[in-house]
Amino acid sequence: VFCNIFEYLQDDGGNIADIINATHVCKQWRSIALDAAKLWTAFYINNIEVATTFLARSRNQAIKLFLTEARHPVHHIARLVAPHIARVRVLRVRTSEDKTVMRLFSRFIHEAPKLEELSIEKEFRQFPPPLETSNPLPRLFGGSLPRESLRTLTVRYISFLPRFNGPSVLVSLEIRRDISLDRDFCARGLIEFLQNCPVLERARITLAGIIPGNEVPQDVLVASLPRLERLAIFSTPALIAYILTSLAV
């Protein structure tokens, strides 16, 4: 009964204050809460001590991880979390620096078969150019996004788009990029990505700026999206036309 009550204290957004407070009420409450692994499955990994505690208490349960501004070196956090990547169900990263994303994800080289939601977002405090690299993180999640589990993908102002190696179960996609600063952006690559999203239902694509050289591909690929219900595209007229021409719905 107590476990069922304690579940109402759990915050899917990673707020741990209520469940921690419950463990400080009395020895009985603390014992019950510590024995219930599912109460410790949603947490921020900004702090190594907190992350270590919750990873241990959640035992083998699927987990939801959140990272904003890390209080410890990101590569240390990544090293701690990497062995548990196979049980991550939700991963949301929101940071002001590209290097935080790269240092975190460079450690995630093993498959993530339970991952259902992935959100990677860079908050702009200033507008530096993106990373000067092509094909970054080739080993992320074993070389491919988990195409049999990932249903929601959000990538905002990050200069790379992870890939699927084959048809996926993705149903919701949001992409925001400043393509005028993004050397790695390729309109054709976006369509190739969509070709592996046959059950996609919702897509929001924002491509701000103008492609250097005003280069929109002349050849047209076709991505079949028969289940697409909602589509919003914000970009230049030429790029919007190219994307719409490439979609079969």
Side-chain angles (χ1 to χ4, degrees):
V1 175
F2 272 106
C3 284
N4 292 334
I5 295 173
F6 287 162
E7 285 186 31
Y8 288 99
L9 301 177
Q10 193 177 35
D11 187 313
D12 284 343
N15 189 328
I16 63 174
D18 288 341
I19 190 62
I20 292 294
N21 289 338
T23 66
H24 293 166
V25 172
C26 65
K27 289 183 178 180
Q28 182 184 17
W29 280 31
R30 180 175 178 82
S31 177
I32 293 172
L34 293 183
D35 284 342
K38 60 184 177 181
L39 298 178
W40 307 93
T41 56
F43 53 95
Y44 279 83
I45 56 175
N46 297 0
N47 182 295
I48 283 183
E49 285 79 12
V50 171
T52 300
T53 297
F54 274 68
L55 287 170
R57 291 180 180 178
S58 60
R59 296 194 277 277
N60 294 321
Q61 295 286 316
I63 52 180
K64 301 176 181 179
L65 304 182
F66 309 87
L67 176 68
T68 51
E69 298 305 319
R71 299 180 183 178
H72 293 93
V74 176
H75 63 280
H76 291 167
I77 295 174
R79 188 183 304 136
L80 173 68
V81 173
H84 302 272
I85 201 66
R87 59 190 184 101
V88 174
R89 176 172 293 164
V90 174
L91 179 58
R92 298 178 190 165
V93 177
R94 189 174 186 180
T95 179
S96 59
E97 297 184 332
D98 274 316
K99 64 181 181 181
T100 298
V101 175
M102 302 304 288
R103 288 174 180 173
L104 181 69
F105 283 91
S106 64
R107 289 274 181 176
F108 296 166
I109 61 175
H110 299 296
E111 294 182 2
K114 294 184 178 180
L115 188 63
E116 297 177 1
E117 178 187 338
L118 175 62
S119 176
I120 314 170
E121 178 177 358
K122 183 167 72 174
E123 284 186 304
F124 280 118
R125 295 179 179 174
Q126 54 184 348
F127 287 82
L131 294 176
E132 297 182 4
T133 180
S134 58
N135 192 29
L137 306 178
R139 297 190 297 165
L140 177 63
F141 301 136
S144 171
L145 288 173
R147 59 191 184 90
E148 295 183 357
S149 63
L150 189 65
R151 298 177 59 81
T152 301
L153 175 63
T154 302
V155 181
R156 296 175 180 159
Y157 300 115
I158 298 296
S159 55
F160 71 95
L161 180 63
R163 303 284 178 169
F164 288 110
N165 289 341
S168 70
V169 296
L170 193 73
V171 297
S172 180
L173 172 67
E174 180 179 350
I175 300 172
R176 295 185 188 180
R177 298 174 78 163
D178 186 339
I179 58 177
S180 62
L181 296 175
D182 194 341
R183 300 181 183 184
D184 293 329
F185 175 75
C186 172
R188 182 185 178 91
L190 174 61
I191 303 305
E192 290 175 345
F193 177 88
L194 292 174
Q195 286 180 323
N196 282 325
C197 305
V199 297
L200 191 68
E201 297 175 1
R202 302 176 297 277
R204 184 182 181 89
I205 301 171
T206 303
L207 303 173
I210 300 175
I211 301 177
N214 214 17
E215 298 172 359
V216 174
Q218 298 302 311
D219 60 324
V220 177
L221 298 177
V222 176
S224 179
L225 305 176
R227 299 189 186 182
L228 191 65
E229 298 175 355
R230 294 197 298 253
L231 173 64
I233 307 174
F234 304 90
S235 189
T236 63
L239 201 45
I240 291 174
Y242 174 76
I243 294 172
L244 290 177
T245 303
S246 302
L247 301 182
V249 296

mmCIF file of all heavy atoms in Angstrom, residues 120-162:
data_model
loop_
_atom_site.group_PDB
_atom_site.id
_atom_site.type_symbol
_atom_site.label_atom_id
_atom_site.label_comp_id
_atom_site.label_asym_id
_atom_site.label_seq_id
_atom_site.Cartn_x
_atom_site.Cartn_y
_atom_site.Cartn_z
ATOM 1 N N ILE A 120 17.662 16.003 -27.648
ATOM 2 C CA ILE A 120 18.967 16.657 -27.558
ATOM 3 C C ILE A 120 18.762 18.112 -27.961
ATOM 4 O O ILE A 120 18.376 18.386 -29.098
ATOM 5 C CB ILE A 120 20.007 16.007 -28.484
ATOM 6 C CG1 ILE A 120 19.973 14.485 -28.393
ATOM 7 C CG2 ILE A 120 21.401 16.523 -28.165
ATOM 8 C CD1 ILE A 120 20.807 13.788 -29.447
ATOM 9 N N GLU A 121 19.024 19.028 -27.038
ATOM 10 C CA GLU A 121 18.745 20.434 -27.316
ATOM 11 C C GLU A 121 19.883 21.312 -26.833
ATOM 12 O O GLU A 121 20.392 21.142 -25.714
ATOM 13 C CB GLU A 121 17.452 20.866 -26.625
ATOM 14 C CG GLU A 121 17.116 22.330 -26.830
ATOM 15 C CD GLU A 121 15.786 22.725 -26.207
ATOM 16 O OE1 GLU A 121 15.119 21.832 -25.642
ATOM 17 O OE2 GLU A 121 15.424 23.906 -26.269
ATOM 18 N N LYS A 122 20.279 22.245 -27.676
ATOM 19 C CA LYS A 122 21.266 23.244 -27.267
ATOM 20 C C LYS A 122 20.561 24.571 -27.074
ATOM 21 O O LYS A 122 19.911 25.083 -27.979
ATOM 22 C CB LYS A 122 22.385 23.393 -28.295
ATOM 23 C CG LYS A 122 23.456 24.391 -27.840
ATOM 24 C CD LYS A 122 24.708 24.326 -28.689
ATOM 25 C CE LYS A 122 24.474 24.910 -30.062
ATOM 26 N NZ LYS A 122 25.721 24.979 -30.840
ATOM 27 N N GLU A 123 20.687 25.111 -25.855
ATOM 28 C CA GLU A 123 20.147 26.427 -25.564
ATOM 29 C C GLU A 123 21.180 27.473 -25.940
ATOM 30 O O GLU A 123 22.341 27.383 -25.547
ATOM 31 C CB GLU A 123 19.844 26.565 -24.066
ATOM 32 C CG GLU A 123 18.611 25.856 -23.603
ATOM 33 C CD GLU A 123 18.336 26.174 -22.139
ATOM 34 O OE1 GLU A 123 19.239 25.942 -21.308
ATOM 35 O OE2 GLU A 123 17.237 26.648 -21.837
ATOM 36 N N PHE A 124 20.754 28.488 -26.680
ATOM 37 C CA PHE A 124 21.687 29.523 -27.100
ATOM 38 C C PHE A 124 21.762 30.630 -26.059
ATOM 39 O O PHE A 124 20.798 31.340 -25.819
ATOM 40 C CB PHE A 124 21.260 30.128 -28.441
ATOM 41 C CG PHE A 124 21.645 29.286 -29.615
ATOM 42 C CD1 PHE A 124 20.676 28.747 -30.451
ATOM 43 C CD2 PHE A 124 22.971 29.019 -29.879
ATOM 44 C CE1 PHE A 124 21.028 27.966 -31.528
ATOM 45 C CE2 PHE A 124 23.334 28.238 -30.952
ATOM 46 C CZ PHE A 124 22.363 27.715 -31.785
ATOM 47 N N ARG A 125 22.945 30.766 -25.452
ATOM 48 C CA ARG A 125 23.228 31.952 -24.658
ATOM 49 C C ARG A 125 23.989 32.943 -25.530
ATOM 50 O O ARG A 125 24.010 34.124 -25.287
ATOM 51 C CB ARG A 125 24.053 31.584 -23.426
ATOM 52 C CG ARG A 125 23.265 30.675 -22.477
ATOM 53 C CD ARG A 125 24.071 30.275 -21.274
ATOM 54 N NE ARG A 125 23.285 29.441 -20.379
ATOM 55 C CZ ARG A 125 23.780 28.855 -19.307
ATOM 56 N NH1 ARG A 125 25.055 29.009 -18.981
ATOM 57 N NH2 ARG A 125 23.015 28.114 -18.521
ATOM 58 N N GLN A 126 24.662 32.417 -26.519
ATOM 59 C CA GLN A 126 25.265 33.201 -27.571
ATOM 60 C C GLN A 126 25.205 32.333 -28.818
ATOM 61 O O GLN A 126 24.712 31.218 -28.782
ATOM 62 C CB GLN A 126 26.709 33.572 -27.216
ATOM 63 C CG GLN A 126 27.575 32.368 -26.847
ATOM 64 C CD GLN A 126 28.953 32.795 -26.408
ATOM 65 O OE1 GLN A 126 29.329 33.928 -26.579
ATOM 66 N NE2 GLN A 126 29.706 31.866 -25.846
ATOM 67 N N PHE A 127 25.677 32.820 -29.942
ATOM 68 C CA PHE A 127 25.516 32.076 -31.183
ATOM 69 C C PHE A 127 26.872 31.707 -31.777
ATOM 70 O O PHE A 127 27.311 32.278 -32.770
ATOM 71 C CB PHE A 127 24.709 32.899 -32.194
ATOM 72 C CG PHE A 127 23.257 32.975 -31.831
ATOM 73 C CD1 PHE A 127 22.809 33.883 -30.895
ATOM 74 C CD2 PHE A 127 22.349 32.101 -32.387
ATOM 75 C CE1 PHE A 127 21.476 33.947 -30.543
ATOM 76 C CE2 PHE A 127 21.010 32.152 -32.034
ATOM 77 C CZ PHE A 127 20.578 33.078 -31.110
ATOM 78 N N PRO A 128 27.558 30.733 -31.179
ATOM 79 C CA PRO A 128 28.817 30.279 -31.770
ATOM 80 C C PRO A 128 28.538 29.367 -32.954
ATOM 81 O O PRO A 128 27.454 28.790 -33.063
ATOM 82 C CB PRO A 128 29.465 29.493 -30.622
ATOM 83 C CG PRO A 128 28.295 28.940 -29.875
ATOM 84 C CD PRO A 128 27.215 29.985 -29.976
ATOM 85 N N PRO A 129 29.499 29.202 -33.863
ATOM 86 C CA PRO A 129 29.306 28.248 -34.947
ATOM 87 C C PRO A 129 29.266 26.832 -34.405
ATOM 88 O O PRO A 129 29.831 26.555 -33.345
ATOM 89 C CB PRO A 129 30.549 28.459 -35.838
ATOM 90 C CG PRO A 129 31.574 29.031 -34.917
ATOM 91 C CD PRO A 129 30.806 29.859 -33.930
ATOM 92 N N PRO A 130 28.589 25.919 -35.086
ATOM 93 C CA PRO A 130 28.512 24.543 -34.604
ATOM 94 C C PRO A 130 29.834 23.820 -34.767
ATOM 95 O O PRO A 130 30.790 24.346 -35.323
ATOM 96 C CB PRO A 130 27.431 23.925 -35.506
ATOM 97 C CG PRO A 130 27.506 24.730 -36.755
ATOM 98 C CD PRO A 130 27.861 26.120 -36.328
ATOM 99 N N LEU A 131 29.883 22.611 -34.297
ATOM 100 C CA LEU A 131 31.098 21.822 -34.376
ATOM 101 C C LEU A 131 31.556 21.641 -35.817
ATOM 102 O O LEU A 131 30.753 21.387 -36.708
ATOM 103 C CB LEU A 131 30.856 20.433 -33.753
ATOM 104 C CG LEU A 131 30.590 20.405 -32.260
ATOM 105 C CD1 LEU A 131 30.279 18.978 -31.837
ATOM 106 C CD2 LEU A 131 31.766 20.951 -31.490
ATOM 107 N N GLU A 132 32.857 21.776 -36.018
ATOM 108 C CA GLU A 132 33.415 21.621 -37.351
ATOM 109 C C GLU A 132 33.805 20.162 -37.550
ATOM 110 O O GLU A 132 34.965 19.784 -37.475
ATOM 111 C CB GLU A 132 34.619 22.546 -37.534
ATOM 112 C CG GLU A 132 34.259 24.020 -37.432
ATOM 113 C CD GLU A 132 35.466 24.903 -37.657
ATOM 114 O OE1 GLU A 132 36.538 24.364 -37.963
ATOM 115 O OE2 GLU A 132 35.324 26.128 -37.522
ATOM 116 N N THR A 133 32.809 19.341 -37.751
ATOM 117 C CA THR A 133 33.065 17.921 -37.909
ATOM 118 C C THR A 133 31.999 17.308 -38.794
ATOM 119 O O THR A 133 30.877 17.789 -38.865
ATOM 120 C CB THR A 133 33.074 17.204 -36.538
ATOM 121 O OG1 THR A 133 33.333 15.814 -36.732
ATOM 122 C CG2 THR A 133 31.727 17.339 -35.835
ATOM 123 N N SER A 134 32.363 16.277 -39.499
ATOM 124 C CA SER A 134 31.384 15.548 -40.300
ATOM 125 C C SER A 134 31.284 14.131 -39.750
ATOM 126 O O SER A 134 32.255 13.589 -39.223
ATOM 127 C CB SER A 134 31.812 15.506 -41.773
ATOM 128 O OG SER A 134 33.083 14.896 -41.903
ATOM 129 N N ASN A 135 30.090 13.562 -39.860
ATOM 130 C CA ASN A 135 29.825 12.220 -39.361
ATOM 131 C C ASN A 135 30.279 12.036 -37.917
ATOM 132 O O ASN A 135 31.056 11.141 -37.606
ATOM 133 C CB ASN A 135 30.526 11.176 -40.254
ATOM 134 C CG ASN A 135 30.041 9.773 -39.945
ATOM 135 O OD1 ASN A 135 28.917 9.578 -39.521
ATOM 136 N ND2 ASN A 135 30.901 8.790 -40.143
ATOM 137 N N PRO A 136 29.833 12.906 -36.988
ATOM 138 C CA PRO A 136 30.238 12.748 -35.596
ATOM 139 C C PRO A 136 29.550 11.559 -34.955
ATOM 140 O O PRO A 136 28.497 11.119 -35.392
ATOM 141 C CB PRO A 136 29.760 14.049 -34.952
ATOM 142 C CG PRO A 136 28.574 14.434 -35.772
ATOM 143 C CD PRO A 136 28.876 13.994 -37.170
ATOM 144 N N LEU A 137 30.165 11.055 -33.892
ATOM 145 C CA LEU A 137 29.597 9.969 -33.100
ATOM 146 C C LEU A 137 29.141 8.785 -33.946
ATOM 147 O O LEU A 137 28.000 8.339 -33.856
ATOM 148 C CB LEU A 137 28.409 10.495 -32.277
ATOM 149 C CG LEU A 137 28.703 11.706 -31.388
ATOM 150 C CD1 LEU A 137 27.435 12.157 -30.680
ATOM 151 C CD2 LEU A 137 29.787 11.414 -30.373
ATOM 152 N N PRO A 138 30.017 8.234 -34.787
ATOM 153 C CA PRO A 138 29.584 7.126 -35.652
ATOM 154 C C PRO A 138 29.187 5.874 -34.893
ATOM 155 O O PRO A 138 28.462 5.040 -35.409
ATOM 156 C CB PRO A 138 30.823 6.874 -36.528
ATOM 157 C CG PRO A 138 31.971 7.358 -35.697
ATOM 158 C CD PRO A 138 31.433 8.558 -34.949
ATOM 159 N N ARG A 139 29.629 5.756 -33.624
ATOM 160 C CA ARG A 139 29.321 4.553 -32.845
ATOM 161 C C ARG A 139 28.187 4.770 -31.852
ATOM 162 O O ARG A 139 27.935 3.915 -31.004
ATOM 163 C CB ARG A 139 30.576 4.079 -32.100
ATOM 164 C CG ARG A 139 31.724 3.654 -33.013
ATOM 165 C CD ARG A 139 32.817 2.977 -32.210
ATOM 166 N NE ARG A 139 33.402 3.887 -31.231
ATOM 167 C CZ ARG A 139 34.168 3.495 -30.210
ATOM 168 N NH1 ARG A 139 34.393 2.202 -30.010
ATOM 169 N NH2 ARG A 139 34.681 4.384 -29.377
ATOM 170 N N LEU A 140 27.496 5.898 -31.945
ATOM 171 C CA LEU A 140 26.408 6.175 -31.007
ATOM 172 C C LEU A 140 25.381 5.052 -31.031
ATOM 173 O O LEU A 140 24.869 4.677 -32.084
ATOM 174 C CB LEU A 140 25.740 7.507 -31.373
ATOM 175 C CG LEU A 140 24.535 7.912 -30.527
ATOM 176 C CD1 LEU A 140 24.948 8.111 -29.072
ATOM 177 C CD2 LEU A 140 23.893 9.174 -31.078
ATOM 178 N N PHE A 141 25.092 4.500 -29.857
ATOM 179 C CA PHE A 141 24.135 3.393 -29.705
ATOM 180 C C PHE A 141 24.460 2.236 -30.652
ATOM 181 O O PHE A 141 23.572 1.629 -31.252
ATOM 182 C CB PHE A 141 22.707 3.880 -29.935
ATOM 183 C CG PHE A 141 22.272 4.971 -28.998
ATOM 184 C CD1 PHE A 141 21.575 6.070 -29.474
ATOM 185 C CD2 PHE A 141 22.567 4.902 -27.646
ATOM 186 C CE1 PHE A 141 21.176 7.082 -28.613
ATOM 187 C CE2 PHE A 141 22.171 5.908 -26.768
ATOM 188 C CZ PHE A 141 21.472 6.997 -27.255
ATOM 189 N N GLY A 142 25.736 1.941 -30.803
ATOM 190 C CA GLY A 142 26.150 0.834 -31.649
ATOM 191 C C GLY A 142 26.107 1.150 -33.128
ATOM 192 O O GLY A 142 26.168 0.244 -33.965
ATOM 193 N N GLY A 143 26.002 2.425 -33.495
ATOM 194 C CA GLY A 143 26.008 2.829 -34.900
ATOM 195 C C GLY A 143 24.642 3.145 -35.464
ATOM 196 O O GLY A 143 24.520 3.523 -36.627
ATOM 197 N N SER A 144 23.592 3.013 -34.669
ATOM 198 C CA SER A 144 22.246 3.295 -35.154
ATOM 199 C C SER A 144 21.337 3.656 -33.991
ATOM 200 O O SER A 144 21.468 3.103 -32.895
ATOM 201 C CB SER A 144 21.661 2.083 -35.880
ATOM 202 O OG SER A 144 20.282 2.263 -36.172
ATOM 203 N N LEU A 145 20.413 4.573 -34.230
ATOM 204 C CA LEU A 145 19.352 4.790 -33.250
ATOM 205 C C LEU A 145 18.564 3.487 -33.091
ATOM 206 O O LEU A 145 18.452 2.709 -34.044
ATOM 207 C CB LEU A 145 18.414 5.902 -33.723
ATOM 208 C CG LEU A 145 18.961 7.324 -33.692
ATOM 209 C CD1 LEU A 145 17.974 8.289 -34.362
ATOM 210 C CD2 LEU A 145 19.241 7.775 -32.274
ATOM 211 N N PRO A 146 18.032 3.231 -31.896
ATOM 212 C CA PRO A 146 17.263 1.990 -31.678
ATOM 213 C C PRO A 146 15.950 2.010 -32.451
ATOM 214 O O PRO A 146 14.941 2.531 -31.973
ATOM 215 C CB PRO A 146 17.044 1.974 -30.158
ATOM 216 C CG PRO A 146 17.194 3.395 -29.732
ATOM 217 C CD PRO A 146 18.168 4.019 -30.658
ATOM 218 N N ARG A 147 15.938 1.421 -33.623
ATOM 219 C CA ARG A 147 14.799 1.558 -34.523
ATOM 220 C C ARG A 147 13.593 0.718 -34.124
ATOM 221 O O ARG A 147 12.488 0.940 -34.623
ATOM 222 C CB ARG A 147 15.212 1.207 -35.962
ATOM 223 C CG ARG A 147 15.763 -0.174 -36.180
ATOM 224 C CD ARG A 147 16.370 -0.307 -37.575
ATOM 225 N NE ARG A 147 16.840 -1.635 -37.882
ATOM 226 C CZ ARG A 147 16.088 -2.579 -38.451
ATOM 227 N NH1 ARG A 147 14.834 -2.305 -38.777
ATOM 228 N NH2 ARG A 147 16.572 -3.771 -38.707
ATOM 229 N N GLU A 148 13.748 -0.216 -33.200
ATOM 230 C CA GLU A 148 12.617 -1.031 -32.775
ATOM 231 C C GLU A 148 11.961 -0.514 -31.501
ATOM 232 O O GLU A 148 10.976 -1.094 -31.034
ATOM 233 C CB GLU A 148 13.069 -2.481 -32.587
ATOM 234 C CG GLU A 148 13.519 -3.143 -33.885
ATOM 235 C CD GLU A 148 13.897 -4.595 -33.690
ATOM 236 O OE1 GLU A 148 13.867 -5.062 -32.535
ATOM 237 O OE2 GLU A 148 14.224 -5.269 -34.681
ATOM 238 N N SER A 149 12.493 0.576 -30.919
ATOM 239 C CA SER A 149 11.907 1.098 -29.681
ATOM 240 C C SER A 149 11.692 2.606 -29.713
ATOM 241 O O SER A 149 10.742 3.100 -29.109
ATOM 242 C CB SER A 149 12.794 0.737 -28.481
ATOM 243 O OG SER A 149 14.072 1.331 -28.590
ATOM 244 N N LEU A 150 12.553 3.356 -30.399
ATOM 245 C CA LEU A 150 12.497 4.816 -30.335
ATOM 246 C C LEU A 150 11.264 5.345 -31.053
ATOM 247 O O LEU A 150 11.082 5.134 -32.243
ATOM 248 C CB LEU A 150 13.754 5.427 -30.961
ATOM 249 C CG LEU A 150 13.916 6.937 -30.755
ATOM 250 C CD1 LEU A 150 14.100 7.266 -29.274
ATOM 251 C CD2 LEU A 150 15.089 7.473 -31.568
ATOM 252 N N ARG A 151 10.420 6.068 -30.301
ATOM 253 C CA ARG A 151 9.176 6.589 -30.852
ATOM 254 C C ARG A 151 9.147 8.123 -30.934
ATOM 255 O O ARG A 151 8.385 8.682 -31.719
ATOM 256 C CB ARG A 151 7.991 6.099 -30.014
ATOM 257 C CG ARG A 151 7.831 4.585 -30.011
ATOM 258 C CD ARG A 151 6.697 4.138 -29.110
ATOM 259 N NE ARG A 151 5.412 4.698 -29.501
ATOM 260 C CZ ARG A 151 4.649 4.226 -30.482
ATOM 261 N NH1 ARG A 151 5.049 3.165 -31.177
ATOM 262 N NH2 ARG A 151 3.491 4.795 -30.759
ATOM 263 N N THR A 152 9.972 8.775 -30.140
ATOM 264 C CA THR A 152 9.999 10.237 -30.123
ATOM 265 C C THR A 152 11.437 10.725 -30.202
ATOM 266 O O THR A 152 12.279 10.318 -29.396
ATOM 267 C CB THR A 152 9.352 10.787 -28.837
ATOM 268 O OG1 THR A 152 7.996 10.327 -28.746
ATOM 269 C CG2 THR A 152 9.361 12.304 -28.825
ATOM 270 N N LEU A 153 11.715 11.602 -31.175
ATOM 271 C CA LEU A 153 13.064 12.147 -31.347
ATOM 272 C C LEU A 153 12.976 13.658 -31.514
ATOM 273 O O LEU A 153 12.239 14.159 -32.367
ATOM 274 C CB LEU A 153 13.743 11.531 -32.578
ATOM 275 C CG LEU A 153 15.120 12.103 -32.943
ATOM 276 C CD1 LEU A 153 16.130 11.841 -31.831
ATOM 277 C CD2 LEU A 153 15.621 11.503 -34.261
ATOM 278 N N THR A 154 13.728 14.372 -30.690
ATOM 279 C CA THR A 154 13.811 15.826 -30.769
ATOM 280 C C THR A 154 15.272 16.228 -30.850
ATOM 281 O O THR A 154 16.072 15.837 -29.984
ATOM 282 C CB THR A 154 13.173 16.490 -29.533
ATOM 283 O OG1 THR A 154 11.809 16.079 -29.418
ATOM 284 C CG2 THR A 154 13.234 18.007 -29.636
ATOM 285 N N VAL A 155 15.630 16.981 -31.881
ATOM 286 C CA VAL A 155 17.002 17.463 -32.055
ATOM 287 C C VAL A 155 16.925 18.952 -32.353
ATOM 288 O O VAL A 155 16.440 19.354 -33.406
ATOM 289 C CB VAL A 155 17.726 16.723 -33.202
ATOM 290 C CG1 VAL A 155 19.156 17.240 -33.340
ATOM 291 C CG2 VAL A 155 17.728 15.217 -32.963
ATOM 292 N N ARG A 156 17.386 19.777 -31.413
ATOM 293 C CA ARG A 156 17.274 21.225 -31.561
ATOM 294 C C ARG A 156 18.653 21.880 -31.524
ATOM 295 O O ARG A 156 19.359 21.803 -30.526
ATOM 296 C CB ARG A 156 16.405 21.813 -30.447
ATOM 297 C CG ARG A 156 14.957 21.341 -30.479
ATOM 298 C CD ARG A 156 14.193 21.861 -29.282
ATOM 299 N NE ARG A 156 12.806 21.411 -29.301
ATOM 300 C CZ ARG A 156 12.022 21.365 -28.214
ATOM 301 N NH1 ARG A 156 12.504 21.745 -27.049
ATOM 302 N NH2 ARG A 156 10.775 20.947 -28.308
ATOM 303 N N TYR A 157 19.010 22.498 -32.633
ATOM 304 C CA TYR A 157 20.238 23.286 -32.757
ATOM 305 C C TYR A 157 21.494 22.489 -32.446
ATOM 306 O O TYR A 157 22.465 23.013 -31.910
ATOM 307 C CB TYR A 157 20.150 24.548 -31.887
ATOM 308 C CG TYR A 157 18.998 25.424 -32.274
ATOM 309 C CD1 TYR A 157 17.933 25.643 -31.392
ATOM 310 C CD2 TYR A 157 18.941 26.009 -33.537
ATOM 311 C CE1 TYR A 157 16.848 26.429 -31.760
ATOM 312 C CE2 TYR A 157 17.848 26.792 -33.916
ATOM 313 C CZ TYR A 157 16.816 27.002 -33.022
ATOM 314 O OH TYR A 157 15.744 27.774 -33.395
ATOM 315 N N ILE A 158 21.473 21.219 -32.773
ATOM 316 C CA ILE A 158 22.654 20.366 -32.694
ATOM 317 C C ILE A 158 23.069 20.050 -34.124
ATOM 318 O O ILE A 158 22.227 19.759 -34.971
ATOM 319 C CB ILE A 158 22.361 19.067 -31.914
ATOM 320 C CG1 ILE A 158 21.952 19.400 -30.470
ATOM 321 C CG2 ILE A 158 23.559 18.144 -31.925
ATOM 322 C CD1 ILE A 158 23.029 20.067 -29.650
ATOM 323 N N SER A 159 24.377 20.097 -34.376
ATOM 324 C CA SER A 159 24.847 20.031 -35.760
ATOM 325 C C SER A 159 25.023 18.607 -36.278
ATOM 326 O O SER A 159 25.919 18.327 -37.053
ATOM 327 C CB SER A 159 26.169 20.798 -35.897
ATOM 328 O OG SER A 159 27.119 20.301 -34.973
ATOM 329 N N PHE A 160 24.191 17.694 -35.819
ATOM 330 C CA PHE A 160 24.187 16.367 -36.415
ATOM 331 C C PHE A 160 22.827 15.736 -36.198
ATOM 332 O O PHE A 160 22.094 16.117 -35.293
ATOM 333 C CB PHE A 160 25.289 15.468 -35.838
ATOM 334 C CG PHE A 160 25.037 15.018 -34.416
ATOM 335 C CD1 PHE A 160 24.444 13.796 -34.148
ATOM 336 C CD2 PHE A 160 25.406 15.820 -33.352
ATOM 337 C CE1 PHE A 160 24.208 13.384 -32.845
ATOM 338 C CE2 PHE A 160 25.185 15.418 -32.035
ATOM 339 C CZ PHE A 160 24.588 14.203 -31.790
ATOM 340 N N LEU A 161 22.473 14.819 -37.065
ATOM 341 C CA LEU A 161 21.217 14.084 -36.935
ATOM 342 C C LEU A 161 21.546 12.605 -36.846
ATOM 343 O O LEU A 161 22.086 12.030 -37.795
ATOM 344 C CB LEU A 161 20.322 14.342 -38.155
ATOM 345 C CG LEU A 161 18.958 13.636 -38.154
ATOM 346 C CD1 LEU A 161 18.117 14.127 -36.985
ATOM 347 C CD2 LEU A 161 18.235 13.885 -39.474
ATOM 348 N N PRO A 162 21.282 11.965 -35.698
ATOM 349 C CA PRO A 162 21.535 10.524 -35.577
ATOM 350 C C PRO A 162 20.770 9.748 -36.644
ATOM 351 O O PRO A 162 19.770 10.226 -37.188
ATOM 352 C CB PRO A 162 21.024 10.191 -34.173
ATOM 353 C CG PRO A 162 21.005 11.497 -33.449
ATOM 354 C CD PRO A 162 20.685 12.531 -34.480
#
